[in-house]
Amino acid sequence: AGILHRISQPITAIYGFARFMKKEIKPEDPFYTPVSLMEEQAQNLKRMLDNLSDLIQNRKSSKENVSVNEIIEKSMRLVTDELRIRRIEFNVQLKENLPLVYTDGLKLQHLFINLIVNAMGRLSALPPGQKKSFEITSSLNETTQELEISFKDSGLPITDQERGPVLELIHELDGTLSLAKNRQGDTQFVVRLPCKNNQDIAFAKENRYNEKSHG
């Protein structure tokens, strides 16, 4: 949903400019046809994004056993190029053979993407020359039998606008979220999710993203 929102903004702007240009150009002008096509295709894209956004927001919750590491991988594939474009150093360290969690995988991915996109925004706002770093780790707290997913960044402090959607999502996922600042000034979110509540705990397969560093 966060990615869709960011995409829809430039599409809406393109659609608006194309409509304006079409009104200013006479039909016999050689640019009239391509501008008309731009308007038509931008409108189609806008409609598709609106429909997809409605589908995500209004869909019923669908819970299943999911691998947290796989959700992290899927989320990172959507934002890796953007992190590199913004020259943000990032590191992903995922613990192998974590138990599965019974939750809504799409909403969990939505939560992760929100945390990552918010971190990118805070990091991009840093003054030129200041280090931009971002890290995700996953682990199992054997005492509480919870999976702990940490999102740590060296960006500016979190704003109140970022808190609302994130807290709402974590509540829907029956998990908890904590926020802390370390001595270096890094912001760290820790998402905690309960493992499956049975004696025969299911475990995820080894993931492909484990112990990889990127910069």
Side-chain angles (χ1 to χ4, degrees):
I3 298 295
L4 286 176
H5 177 68
R6 294 180 64 194
I7 294 174
S8 66
Q9 289 179 322
I11 294 297
T12 300
I14 292 170
Y15 173 61
F17 282 124
R19 288 189 63 189
F20 173 78
M21 292 169 63
K22 184 179 177 181
K23 291 179 180 179
E24 297 296 316
I25 298 176
K26 296 180 179 180
E28 59 269 20
D29 192 293
F31 289 103
Y32 185 83
T33 298
V35 168
S36 297
L37 290 174
M38 285 174 57
E39 178 198 26
E40 179 184 333
Q41 294 305 313
Q43 186 177 31
N44 289 339
L45 282 172
K46 187 176 181 299
R47 188 180 299 113
M48 289 168 58
L49 291 170
D50 289 342
N51 291 339
L52 187 55
S53 179
D54 290 340
L55 176 63
I56 290 175
Q57 293 177 7
N58 298 324
R59 63 182 286 272
K60 294 181 179 179
S61 179
S62 177
K63 292 187 176 182
E64 58 183 343
N65 294 324
V66 299
S67 163
V68 165
N69 285 350
E70 289 183 3
I71 300 296
I72 294 173
E73 288 179 2
K74 291 179 181 179
S75 302
M76 286 301 298
R77 281 197 288 269
L78 291 173
V79 299
T80 294
D81 288 342
E82 186 71 15
L83 285 165
R84 287 174 174 156
I85 290 171
R86 299 188 185 205
R87 299 185 181 278
I88 296 172
E89 296 181 7
F90 60 99
N91 184 27
V92 181
Q93 297 187 15
L94 308 181
K95 181 70 174 179
E96 293 184 1
N97 300 320
L98 290 176
L100 300 174
V101 294
Y102 187 69
T103 189
D104 187 319
L106 186 59
K107 287 185 177 180
L108 184 60
Q109 184 175 358
H110 186 184
L111 170 64
F112 289 171
I113 289 176
N114 263 271
L115 291 171
I116 297 170
V117 170
N118 288 344
M120 284 196 296
R122 295 195 302 274
L123 287 164
S124 298
L126 288 172
Q130 193 163 336
K131 184 179 179 180
K132 302 175 183 179
S133 63
F134 177 70
E135 180 182 85
I136 301 178
T137 61
S138 66
S139 60
L140 171 64
N141 186 322
E142 296 185 1
T143 302
T144 62
Q145 282 300 297
E146 292 178 318
L147 295 188
E148 297 184 345
I149 306 95
S150 168
F151 298 79
K152 184 170 66 175
D153 68 83
S154 61
L156 296 177
I158 184 173
T159 64
D160 291 336
Q161 290 181 333
E162 295 178 47
R163 295 175 184 268
V166 171
L167 292 175
E168 181 179 344
L169 278 168
I170 195 66
H171 177 72
E172 293 177 3
L173 294 166
D174 298 323
T176 61
L177 181 72
S178 62
L179 171 63
K181 276 272 189 183
N182 63 19
R183 292 181 179 178
Q184 290 73 35
D186 296 335
T187 297
Q188 183 178 20
F189 284 98
V190 179
V191 176
R192 295 180 175 86
L193 299 169
C195 300
K196 287 188 61 182
N197 293 323
N198 58 40
Q199 294 180 350
D200 185 22
I201 295 179
F203 287 84
K205 296 179 181 179
E206 291 186 6
N207 63 85
R208 298 179 301 278
Y209 224 99
N210 187 61
E211 302 297 335
K212 289 186 179 180
S213 297
H214 303 262

